Amino acid sequence: MNKIGVLTSGGDSPGMNAAIRAVVRCGIEAGLEVWGIERGYEGLLDGELRQMDRSSVGDILHRGGTILKTARSERFMEARWIDKAAEMLATFGIGGLVVIGGDGSLRGGLELAQRGIRVMGLPGTIDNDLHYTDFTIGFDTAVSTVLEAISKIRDTSSSHDRTTVIEVMGRRCGDIALYAALAGGAESVLVPEMPEDINMVCRKIIEGSNRGKLHSIIIKAEGTGTPATELTRLIEERTGKETRLVVLSYLQRGGSPTLNDRMLATLCAAKAVELLAEEGQEAESKAIGIVDGHIMAYELGAALEVKRAFRRELYELINVLSK
Ligand code: ATP
């Protein structure tokens, strides 16, 4: 193989640029031609490919977002369009592809793998919802952004003796909420993996207030039962305390990647290129991630079936620490 492609797909995440940079530079070092594909699978179908050189990825390591742009592609969900995407890669002579994205993007990669492309999947999503890896690229930065917001909100909410509900991203996976609540000292956390108990949230606010606490921070993942505005209203009604809602939304997607995300992106990308440059690998397509501090490569299809248990001990610790 002498030509590889790289694309970013799905929601963007901080660290995607660091991964692209390492794919391009490690690829060239290994004697490969590296082609950047714009706008994920959508751009692949439209033939938006360009050859990358070392300088094309200069000055991007520290930048959030993705220079290759990203997209969600409806077309690519259909078999005939996936066939077309595989043909497009063959037309360009590209036999190996690095896909940087979340669960959906890597499932798309698996489809291409089944059509003879050698795919390396990198976990690029802030959600931390790819279970074969302990962490995904962008998660650490997103949680850091939430922590910064918590500090600022705490300053103002303690001045006003107020409760604040902070809604963070996470439709099915509550990890952003869980880690931010633990590291940010929130009073309660609501995650999709655990039953919602609004009375318990209210009880904790009242007990805290009776002990002289000036403020309460409640972190809510977006995927939990009661919508945020309704939850905020119920808490105010049941506790009698002024309660405000802050929805962090896309703020969590932006920003310069943290050390952890730069390292994870760079090391996963280097591993992907190392595997693509090696001939005759037994399991051709892989998902790359980090487990117990080590960069690991797993067979792509098997990796996407892994189900990690919810970290209940962290959830319980939040309740202990906020008493
Ligand atoms: P994030 O969760 O961070 O938004 P993601 O990669 O999970 O990232 P999706 O929108 O689920 O985001 O997927 C991105 C794209 O991958 C889709 O628009 C589609 O083109 C492709 N894709 C998703 N699921 C599949 C699938 N099962 N088969 C083929 N392609 C898929």
Side-chain angles (χ1 to χ4, degrees):
M1 183 184 307
N2 58 9
K3 268 194 201 181
I4 63 170
V6 54
L7 62 78
T8 49
S9 165
D12 63 322
S13 72
M16 279 183 163
N17 278 329
I20 296 166
R21 171 180 176 268
V23 169
V24 170
R25 293 194 174 164
C26 292
I28 292 169
E29 184 69 20
L32 302 169
E33 261 185 36
V34 185
W35 287 68
I37 300 159
E38 301 242 334
R39 296 190 304 116
Y41 297 124
E42 195 63 11
L44 174 57
L45 288 171
D46 291 337
E48 293 174 23
L49 291 84
R50 62 185 152 99
Q51 193 177 348
M52 313 280 285
D53 61 16
R54 287 184 155 269
S55 64
S56 67
V57 289
D59 208 23
I60 64 166
L61 174 62
H62 58 288
R63 278 163 46 195
T66 157
I67 59 158
L68 289 176
K69 308 230 167 47
T70 182
R72 298 190 200 274
S73 174
E74 286 292 320
R75 283 187 290 172
F76 190 78
M77 305 290 283
E78 284 177 47
R80 65 192 172 108
W81 287 104
I82 303 174
D83 292 343
K84 189 149 190 308
E87 281 164 27
M88 183 67 81
L89 288 168
T91 304
F92 277 83
I94 294 172
L97 179 67
V98 180
V99 173
I100 308 165
D103 182 75
S105 302
L106 268 50
R107 283 184 196 281
L110 183 60
E111 293 286 343
L112 288 173
Q114 285 156 358
R115 287 161 175 82
I117 308 293
R118 211 165 149 200
V119 175
M120 296 293 147
L122 262 56
T125 170
I126 64 167
D127 295 334
N128 214 35
D129 59 353
L130 278 163
H131 294 196
Y132 74 85
T133 177
D134 288 345
F135 297 106
T136 57
I137 299 164
F139 172 70
D140 191 69
T141 308
V143 174
S144 301
T145 302
V146 177
L147 289 178
E148 226 175 279
I150 292 175
S151 301
K152 290 179 178 164
I153 290 164
R154 177 165 282 136
D155 288 347
T156 154
S157 65
S158 55
S159 309
H160 291 275
D161 194 7
R162 187 187 271 163
T163 299
T164 311
V165 175
I166 304 178
E167 187 184 69
V168 302
M169 282 188 173
R171 278 192 290 270
R172 285 185 307 274
C173 174
D175 276 12
I176 293 181
L178 186 69
Y179 283 70
L182 184 58
E187 272 57 49
S188 296
V189 63
L190 296 168
V191 289
E193 293 89 343
M194 297 296 288
E196 183 186 75
D197 187 347
I198 300 176
N199 283 336
M200 160 99 126
V201 171
C202 294
R203 205 163 50 241
K204 291 197 76 177
I205 293 169
I206 292 165
E207 283 169 6
S209 167
N210 290 343
R211 287 195 311 274
K213 255 190 190 176
L214 296 177
H215 57 78
S216 289
I217 303 268
I218 317 299
I219 308 286
K220 177 200 177 301
E222 61 184 333
T224 58
T226 309
T229 42
E230 176 65 2
L231 175 75
T232 308
R233 195 189 63 74
L234 284 174
I235 292 174
E236 181 163 278
E237 193 178 278
R238 292 183 195 174
T239 62
K241 289 194 147 292
E242 185 188 0
T243 307
R244 294 281 170 89
L245 169 65
V246 176
V247 180
L248 293 180
S249 184
Y250 289 107
L251 255 180
Q252 296 158 87
R253 283 254 174 91
S256 182
T258 58
L259 165 69
N260 283 337
D261 280 332
R262 293 181 199 199
M263 292 293 285
L264 181 60
T266 301
L267 295 178
C268 286
K271 183 75 182 171
V273 171
E274 181 194 316
L275 292 172
L276 284 173
E278 274 175 24
E279 296 295 336
Q281 283 287 303
E282 274 171 41
E284 295 252 283
S285 289
K286 305 267 191 186
I288 299 167
I290 187 162
V291 176
D292 294 334
H294 299 284
I295 299 298
M296 306 291 286
Y298 300 103
E299 198 273 312
L300 182 56
L304 294 174
E305 297 310 314
V306 173
K307 193 86 191 96
R308 182 202 315 133
F310 175 66
R311 297 200 62 184
R312 208 190 162 107
E313 75 281 9
L314 300 186
Y315 181 83
E316 280 161 7
L317 193 52
I318 291 165
N319 287 326
V320 171
L321 295 174
S322 63
K323 268 186 190 159

